[in-house]
Amino acid sequence: MSDLNREMNVNFDDKTRTFSVNYGEKETVKEILKFVYDSLTEKGYNPVNQIAGYVLSEDPTYITTYNGARTLIQKIDRYELLKILIKEYVND
């Protein structure tokens, strides 16, 4: 197993690959996402569509630079964000 695979906790031993990122606090991610959401709303964008576009494409231009929202959202690993969103959605 390569150092990168070991660092990222990627397991290629099964038929199903697993991926885990072990950094980022759930509350910090939530705070950043809320701040970005609010910034997009203030600028007149549909925040759900814009954030979804960013998450799917990793193209930061989906997020406004207003209030530093673009810089802030790029501090969140997209895999971590997706993981948290899925857990929150399923647990509701």
Side-chain angles (χ1 to χ4, degrees), residues 3 29 42 44-45 49 51 56 60 64 68 72-73 78 90:
D3 290 338
V29 171
E42 286 179 34
Y45 295 107
N49 288 347
I51 293 169
L56 291 172
T64 183
L72 200 54
I73 201 165
R78 287 184 320 134
V90 171

Side-chain angles (χ1 to χ4, degrees), residues 8 19 21 23-37 51 54-56 58-60 63 68-85:
M8 299 299 288
F19 182 84
V21 179
Y23 57 89
E25 299 274 333
K26 177 181 157 186
E27 290 306 313
T28 302
V29 171
K30 186 175 182 176
E31 290 169 6
I32 291 172
L33 194 57
K34 177 71 172 126
F35 182 84
V36 170
Y37 184 99
I51 293 169
Y54 168 72
V55 170
L56 291 172
E58 199 172 9
D59 181 354
I63 306 301
R70 185 180 296 167
T71 301
L72 200 54
I73 201 165
Q74 288 177 300
K75 293 181 179 187
I76 303 172
D77 181 82
R78 287 184 320 134
Y79 292 108
E80 184 69 16
L81 177 58
L82 284 171
K83 204 166 72 171
I84 290 169
L85 291 173

Side-chain angles (χ1 to χ4, degrees), residues 2-13:
S2 76
D3 290 338
L4 178 60
N5 289 346
R6 219 175 277 111
E7 180 182 320
M8 299 299 288
N9 295 322
V10 178
N11 179 2
F12 292 108
D13 298 335

